[in-house]
Amino acid sequence: MEKNAFHFEYEVYDSINELPEADAWLLEEAREVTTNAYAPYSNFHVGAVARLTNGEMVAGSNQENASFPAGLCAERVLLSSASSLYPKVPIESIAISYRSSLVESDHPISPCGICRQSLQEYETRLHHPIRLILGGMKGKVFVIPKASMLLPLSFNSNDLNGT
Ligand code: THU
């Protein structure tokens, strides 16, 4: 028997004011994009904005449905848009923020499990890590260097084709 371990490092900033300018700008955009969310059921409005390696920006927000499982998270709305508009252009960074009438937006939120799976495959497909900049409307900001770090021991296409 041997023991394995996973270890990853990420950056913690006390506030958006400490971030490098380009990251602060992207997080401000993500905060703004929460206003495009359609979230009448959860009241949890999520905004995500990506900077692509060609300098273009792509946004996404969560889009809910009365049939709850039909709803989509902001991250996967963003990935679908990016892949449709710029199918061959890697994503460099994604900023994610949120607002809610029920909880205070004062700490970072992290992508849900399904979104982690989608982010991981996007990285693999376009051979480029995706940085995540996570922050609420105020408070600390986390910068994760590579989205797939959030999904250790993942299931992926190698498991399907035996490579
Ligand atoms: N949601 C996102 O859009 N992204 C996340 O990272 C977490 C959750 C959405 C899904 C649903 O519309 C609402 O937030 C509450 O779960």
Side-chain angles (χ1 to χ4, degrees):
M1 193 275 272
E2 63 178 86
K3 285 196 176 174
N4 288 345
F6 285 101
H7 172 80
F8 82 94
E9 291 184 358
Y10 62 102
E11 296 161 4
V12 181
Y13 296 84
D14 271 340
S15 80
I16 192 171
N17 301 325
E18 282 189 5
L19 284 177
E21 199 177 291
D23 291 349
W25 186 85
L26 208 61
L27 183 54
E28 284 289 10
E29 289 293 302
R31 288 173 172 175
E32 184 68 34
V33 160
T34 60
T35 55
N36 296 341
Y38 174 64
Y41 304 104
S42 71
N43 256 300
F44 198 77
H45 301 248
V46 184
V49 178
R51 185 192 305 113
L52 277 51
T53 57
N54 65 359
E56 295 289 341
M57 305 289 162
V58 176
S61 52
N62 55 327
Q63 303 296 321
E64 297 185 347
N65 191 281
S67 171
F68 293 177
L72 279 173
C73 292
E75 293 89 333
R76 277 174 295 135
V77 170
L78 182 155
L79 292 180
S80 299
S81 295
S83 187
S84 304
L85 293 167
Y86 306 101
K88 301 217 165 71
V89 184
I91 294 173
E92 183 203 89
S93 301
I94 301 177
I96 302 164
S97 192
Y98 67 101
R99 70 186 162 79
S100 163
S101 53
L102 306 173
V103 293
E104 210 180 349
S105 177
D106 60 359
H107 63 277
I109 58 159
S110 200
C112 80
I114 301 175
C115 290
R116 292 176 194 210
Q117 186 75 27
S118 297
L119 288 159
Q120 170 204 249
E121 188 143 335
Y122 213 96
E123 284 186 345
T124 309
R125 179 155 69 96
L126 293 180
H127 310 290
H128 199 283
I130 300 175
R131 283 173 76 243
L132 298 179
I133 302 157
L134 311 175
M137 291 293 164
K138 61 181 182 181
K140 288 189 191 303
V141 179
F142 297 166
V143 176
I144 317 271
K146 189 177 182 195
S148 54
M149 287 174 164
L150 297 176
L151 199 64
L153 284 182
S154 65
F155 179 79
N156 56 55
S157 62
N158 297 337
D159 296 312
L160 290 178
N161 60 28
T163 57

